[in-house]
Amino acid sequence: MLSIKNLHANIESKEILKGINLEVKAGEVHAIMGPNGSGKSTLASVLAGRELFTVTEGKVTYQGKDLFELSPEERASEGIFLGFQYPIEIPGVSMVNFMKTAVNEQRKHRGLEPLSSSDFLKLMREKKELVELDSNLTNRSVNEGFSGGEKKRNEIFQMAMLEPKLAILDETDSGLDIDALRIVANGVNKLKSPYNASIVITHYQRLLDYIVPDFVHVLYDGKIIRSGGKELAFELEEKGYDWLKKGIVV
Amino acid sequence: MSSEIIHSEIKNKLLDLYQNNHEVLKNGSPDYINKIREKAIERFRELGLPDKKNENYKYTDLKKEFDNGYKTYLSPKNIKFDMKEIFSCDVPDLNTKVILLLNGWYYDRENLLTELPGGAIIGSFQKASEIYPELVKKHFAQYADIENEGSVALNTAFVKDGIFLFVPKGVIIEKPIQIINVLMDEEEGFTQHRNLYILEENSQASIVVCDHTLSASNFLTNSVAEFYVGQNAHLDYSRIQNEHNGSKQISHLFFHQERDSNVTANTISLHGGLIRNNISVHLDGEGCENNTYGLYLTDKGQHIDNHVFIDHAKPHCISNQLFKGVLDDFATGAFNGKILVRRDAQKTQAYQANNNILLTDDADIKTRPQLEIYADDVKCSHGATVGQLDENALFYMRARGINKKEAKLLLMYAFAHEIIQKIKVPALKDRITDLVEKRLRGELSRCNFCQMHCCNS
């Protein structure tokens, strides 16, 4: 589904990603862990198409297409979803209008008719229940005045609405209490299928108690320095990152 | 030097126009009006029209705009005009009475004055000045600043027709009154209508004024409206400016507020070649509330200049100003908001904000908030911003599959929404929502589709 080869990316001519290689297949859950500043969020942003970053080298193929040929909105319509670490507040744009536009733009891209208002509202109701999102939140402006937990839950709600093929969740767990974490993780698990895949970026091992990854990768200084199964996460929890860093020849 | 010559020339041209039509102008106007007319032309002779050297007109050269050779009519010109034909696009028949000014003249010459429920009167200013001299005399030219504003003096010197509204004591007009200013002529035209709105104590009215051009010729309008808002009276005034790029509009609104009165004035500038709005508010009694809001959407070579002056003359009044604008292409604009808090106006609360979005590097806005405070126990604030669309928000939307153009529209619409939601008449709010969206999409090229039905419901 997704193939990343030797990916290098800069921001303001400072190199952040220094040669990432990663293969993600349908049905898989990949966890990317690593200390602060290792490039986790940059990787997520580059995959989603943030123009702030410049790709200097490497190739990313998504469902056989060159990812860098696609605009952010095309990537989204092709099924890539980025769950933001810091969801953006958009005063004046209602959640309903935002989601309706997003859903219908994506449908248009796939050659489908737009959803009728009643079908759309039905879909919204269904998905709100799935992620236990407070009904009042969808009557407000996008993320405006939402608490940290509500914002994250809103990301999962949007993911549920858009049914992506590849979900990239950037530290969706940060700032969540255990209850919120459980709800977010539940949402992710319910959406899991043999046809889609997730990349879960996290700082802490605790999210992986709820979302069980097939693979765990450790990102450090712009490179994946270790990959393994879910047991790697436990090892990290126990020993921290230092034992891995020591193993790198700089 | 050469510009000085042109300018004194245009002043002389206008003075000649007055002199040569002296009798026609006076004819049909009562003496008390003609006395003020004489005074006004003398004041105009001294003031002339402001150019950019005048601090209040630094960003809009009025003098230049008047020097155009457009024709002005001192009696209503007979123009074939079928209201139904022009305005029947959306709704088959209008179910509320619409008041129409055609090139500054009250259109319905058969019914120049109409009585509304409760004894309120709406109609032609010219007719009212003749039929209700006491009422008009008491308020006419009492609030408009003839002393300092050349274009107001000019309008007063040429006063003929316009809108007259009188709402007696305690009368509440439930349905919004809709007034349409239509400009339509094959020739280029110069129009100066004069409007007087009197709301006696404890009365209430809601007024919607729409400005339109219905023919492609160039127009210049120099209009003045005076509003007397009596004790505890409530006025809700909305203005939609939607004229073509060949139109130039200078509008003066003077609000005089008595104790405990409440005025909300919302000016939505959707389209127009040049718009200069002067809004002047005099809070002349304790406990007044004034809300002056504006939204302007400009593109291409359009120019918008909003000039607001709030005079807190008495204690315990509240004023809120919020103006927001989106400027595209090489459009230019200015906002000047002045709050004056006089020495006795203790416990004043006065707030002002002006926010702008520039969509291109060539669009330009000058914003100048001014506070002048002589009282010591007041709460005042002002602020201005000029920025671009929020890149983070744009990316967030694009990451959900919304294309860039649509995402920009959503953001612009969201920006404008803050003003639109302040419109109190629900049907009008919906209509304006629709218009603003169309405008931002660039679909508002003709203006005779919807505004007529702003208040139908």
Side-chain angles (χ1 to χ4, degrees), chain B residues 83-352:
Chain B
M83 249 170 103
K84 262 195 181 163
E85 195 178 295
I86 288 171
F87 290 118
S88 60
C89 331
D90 260 0
V91 183
D93 265 301
L94 300 170
N95 52 25
T96 48
K97 186 174 164 60
V98 168
I99 306 298
L100 190 69
L101 279 188
L102 178 59
N103 300 327
W105 297 89
Y106 199 78
Y107 177 70
D108 188 355
R109 304 308 295 176
E110 305 299 313
N111 301 293
L112 286 168
L113 292 168
T114 306
E115 192 162 324
L116 301 171
I121 294 152
I122 185 141
S124 144
F125 172 80
Q126 191 178 27
K127 191 71 182 168
S129 67
E130 176 196 325
I131 305 288
Y132 306 106
E134 292 307 312
L135 209 49
V136 175
K137 197 175 174 180
K138 197 173 156 195
H139 297 288
F140 171 70
Q142 297 303 302
Y143 318 115
D145 186 2
I146 294 160
E147 276 310 299
N148 300 301
E149 287 283 350
S151 54
V152 175
L154 182 71
N155 174 289
T156 309
F158 281 87
V159 60
K160 271 294 193 188
D161 208 1
I163 297 292
F164 172 78
L165 173 71
F166 170 65
V167 189
K169 225 181 258 185
V171 170
I172 293 169
I173 300 180
E174 300 279 354
K175 274 198 172 178
I177 297 167
Q178 192 180 0
I179 295 160
I180 322 253
N181 287 319
V182 168
L183 295 174
M184 189 168 113
D185 201 346
E186 275 152 23
E187 293 171 287
E188 296 178 322
F190 170 36
T191 295
Q192 305 196 72
H193 49 91
R194 179 63 171 239
N195 311 279
L196 180 61
Y197 299 84
I198 304 165
L199 276 80
E200 286 193 337
E201 58 184 86
N202 297 315
S203 69
Q204 272 184 42
S206 163
I207 301 163
V208 181
V209 179
C210 308
D211 301 321
H212 298 286
T213 39
L214 290 184
S215 63
S217 356
N218 293 329
F219 293 105
L220 170 68
T221 305
N222 175 40
S223 69
V224 174
E226 293 178 279
F227 301 81
Y228 170 83
V229 187
Q231 189 174 331
N232 198 38
H234 282 63
L235 169 66
D236 181 29
Y237 174 87
S238 303
R239 175 85 170 270
I240 296 116
Q241 299 176 309
N242 190 5
E243 299 186 346
H244 62 52
N245 283 341
S247 84
K248 288 147 188 178
Q249 183 180 145
I250 298 116
S251 151
H252 294 270
L253 307 180
F254 293 94
F255 294 94
H256 175 92
Q257 289 189 239
E258 293 283 326
R259 193 188 176 103
D260 297 324
S261 63
N262 190 311
V263 170
T264 296
N266 213 320
T267 304
I268 312 283
S269 309
L270 286 175
H271 211 280
L274 177 144
I275 299 174
R276 162 72 183 215
N277 290 316
N278 280 14
I279 302 170
S280 176
V281 176
H282 186 54
L283 302 172
D284 202 25
E286 295 189 23
C288 293
E289 182 179 328
N290 178 278
N291 303 301
T292 298
Y293 305 127
L295 173 67
Y296 42 99
L297 310 170
T298 60
D299 61 6
K300 305 204 176 68
Q302 296 178 341
H303 179 74
I304 174 93
D305 184 349
N306 283 303
H307 198 100
V308 184
F309 174 54
I310 313 274
D311 182 354
H312 279 264
K314 296 284 156 67
H316 297 283
C317 294
I318 300 174
S319 70
N320 297 296
Q321 272 176 77
L322 176 63
F323 278 75
K324 297 183 96 171
V326 180
L327 292 91
D328 200 355
D329 302 327
F330 40 96
T332 52
F335 172 81
N336 195 316
K338 184 172 172 180
I339 299 170
L340 170 64
V341 182
R342 294 184 192 265
R343 201 161 48 182
D344 296 336
Q346 299 296 357
K347 304 282 181 192
T348 287
Q349 289 181 54
Y351 308 103
Q352 181 198 89

Side-chain angles (χ1 to χ4, degrees), chain B residues 19 40 55 151 333 384:
Chain B
Q19 215 50 52
E55 194 62 20
S151 54

Side-chain angles (χ1 to χ4, degrees), chain A residues 49-51 72-73 76 81-82 84 88 90-93 97-98 102 105-106 143 155 158 162, chain B residues 390-406 410-411 413-415 417:
Chain A
R50 187 84 216 236
E51 281 149 357
E73 53 269 35
F81 177 90
L82 171 64
F84 282 62
I88 311 294
I90 315 178
V93 176
N97 198 10
F98 171 63
E105 288 269 309
Q106 292 207 13
N143 290 321
E155 293 295 291
Q158 292 172 42
L162 298 169
Chain B
D390 180 353
E391 285 294 331
N392 290 324
L394 276 179
F395 178 68
Y396 189 70
M397 290 196 269
R398 294 178 73 190
R400 297 296 175 255
I402 301 173
N403 75 54
K404 199 174 180 178
K405 190 176 160 224
E406 200 67 28
L410 278 173
L411 281 188
Y413 180 67
F415 177 78
H417 180 77

Side-chain angles (χ1 to χ4, degrees), chain B residues 31-49:
Chain B
D31 280 351
Y32 69 93
I33 298 261
N34 285 333
K35 264 187 200 151
I36 295 171
R37 187 193 298 285
E38 290 291 339
K39 248 191 243 165
I41 197 70
E42 283 319 307
R43 194 61 194 141
F44 177 71
R45 194 186 300 281
E46 290 153 26
L47 289 169
L49 289 161

